[in-house]
Amino acid sequence: MSLIEVKDLEKTYIDGDAKTPVLHGVTFSINQGDFVSIMGPSGSGKSTLLHILGFLDRPTGGEYRFDGKPIDAYTGDEIAHVRNKQMGFVFQTFNLLARATVLENVKLPLLYSGEGEETWDARAREAIESVGLSHRVEHESSQLSGGERQRVAIARALVNDPAVVFADEPTGNLDSASGSQVMEIIEKLHGKGHTIILITHETYTAEYAQRIIRIKDGKIESDEAVKNRNHHRGHPLK
């Protein structure tokens, strides 16, 4: 069974009498353990699609099923639970608390997890270790480089061991070397069984995935397996 299934998905933003259609009949499915890039130029509808897939927004037409269940069948509490426990989010702008330490930032999702507080430190430290930042654990995020901040954001996304990680332009604010490091970490997450959905406009970044869904003007332009995945070719900046 597919983890994510969208069929004839539509999204129109309505502001007074103005209607702005963004997604037009989008259909695809993603299985547990897949690594998929959703690629398109600015304004193509890829971020809107991510918001719907991540339960941050709802479609205006068509169907979205997560884990076999239509989005309309989820209660508000169930949506909050799925977003906290089954989904991890990594954003281009990091979204870290500047004056909080790395450890405090990574622990944030655990506040809403229902897990016993005695486990929080150990789980956060394990996630921080997985992105290679144990030596920065007590630093404030404002003291870190851009690449390090993004690795903290990945650790925060991982701390609840989600089924799926949504990464929205995770290398967009990074130089090439830091971007390659971040993509290697995301690739390792996939190797550990996480489903990865990567939103990007960069071909090089997209080609870490097994499959690229190209979207243009709110429609799927192509949906193809990646023949030359980047981890086979090595990275240009080593």
Side-chain angles (χ1 to χ4, degrees):
M1 186 177 70
S2 300
L3 179 68
I4 283 172
E5 195 170 0
V6 299
K7 188 174 182 184
D8 300 327
L9 204 69
E10 306 272 345
K11 181 65 182 179
T12 300
Y13 290 106
I14 298 168
D15 183 10
D17 292 332
K19 292 185 177 181
T20 308
V22 180
L23 296 175
H24 312 276
V26 171
T27 298
F28 61 86
S29 60
I30 295 172
N31 293 326
Q32 178 70 47
D34 284 356
F35 186 169
V36 179
S37 288
I38 297 174
M39 190 179 174
S42 182
S44 60
K46 61 187 188 296
S47 290
T48 297
L49 179 57
L50 173 82
H51 287 158
I52 292 170
L53 296 181
F55 284 13
L56 299 164
D57 200 356
R58 286 182 179 258
T60 43
E63 190 175 21
Y64 171 32
R65 289 175 174 267
F66 181 81
D67 208 10
K69 185 173 173 178
I71 187 172
D72 292 338
Y74 284 90
T75 66
D77 284 348
E78 285 173 333
I79 282 175
H81 179 80
V82 167
R83 289 195 60 233
N84 183 255
K85 297 289 284 183
Q86 290 187 262
M87 298 176 174
F89 296 88
V90 181
F91 298 101
Q92 178 177 352
T93 50
F94 319 135
N95 291 2
L96 301 178
L97 300 176
R99 293 289 165 212
T101 66
V102 168
L103 185 64
E104 289 164 344
N105 270 290
V106 173
K107 280 199 294 190
L108 276 176
L110 296 170
L111 298 175
Y112 311 101
S113 68
E115 301 285 337
E117 197 171 340
E118 69 280 358
T119 68
W120 293 358
D121 265 34
R123 289 181 60 176
R125 286 176 187 276
E126 185 180 349
I128 292 163
E129 185 179 349
S130 75
V131 299
L133 283 178
S134 293
H135 61 295
R136 294 291 217 180
V137 73
E138 298 300 340
H139 284 68
E140 291 184 357
S141 65
S142 59
Q143 299 172 304
L144 306 180
S145 69
E148 287 172 331
R149 286 183 207 177
Q150 192 59 291
R151 283 151 67 189
V152 174
I154 293 170
R156 183 185 57 194
L158 286 182
V159 75
N160 273 326
D161 195 27
V164 56
V165 175
F166 295 100
D168 189 5
E169 300 279 6
T171 62
N173 283 336
L174 306 179
D175 60 50
S176 299
S178 298
S180 286
Q181 275 189 331
V182 163
M183 287 312 303
E184 284 168 28
I185 290 168
I186 289 172
E187 190 175 52
K188 284 177 186 168
L189 297 184
H190 174 242
K192 291 177 179 174
H194 292 280
T195 306
I196 308 290
I197 299 176
L198 173 72
I199 304 288
T200 184
H201 66 277
E202 301 168 329
T203 301
Y204 183 78
T205 305
E207 286 177 350
Y208 279 83
Q210 300 164 314
R211 168 181 163 209
I212 299 176
I213 297 171
R214 284 186 169 82
I215 188 167
K216 186 177 181 183
D217 299 329
K219 298 175 184 169
I220 291 181
E221 198 174 40
S222 63
D223 183 350
E224 296 173 335
V226 177
K227 296 181 179 69
N228 300 306
R229 293 184 70 197
N230 270 336
H231 71 297
H232 294 312
R233 288 210 301 264
H235 306 283
L237 288 157
K238 278 282 174 119

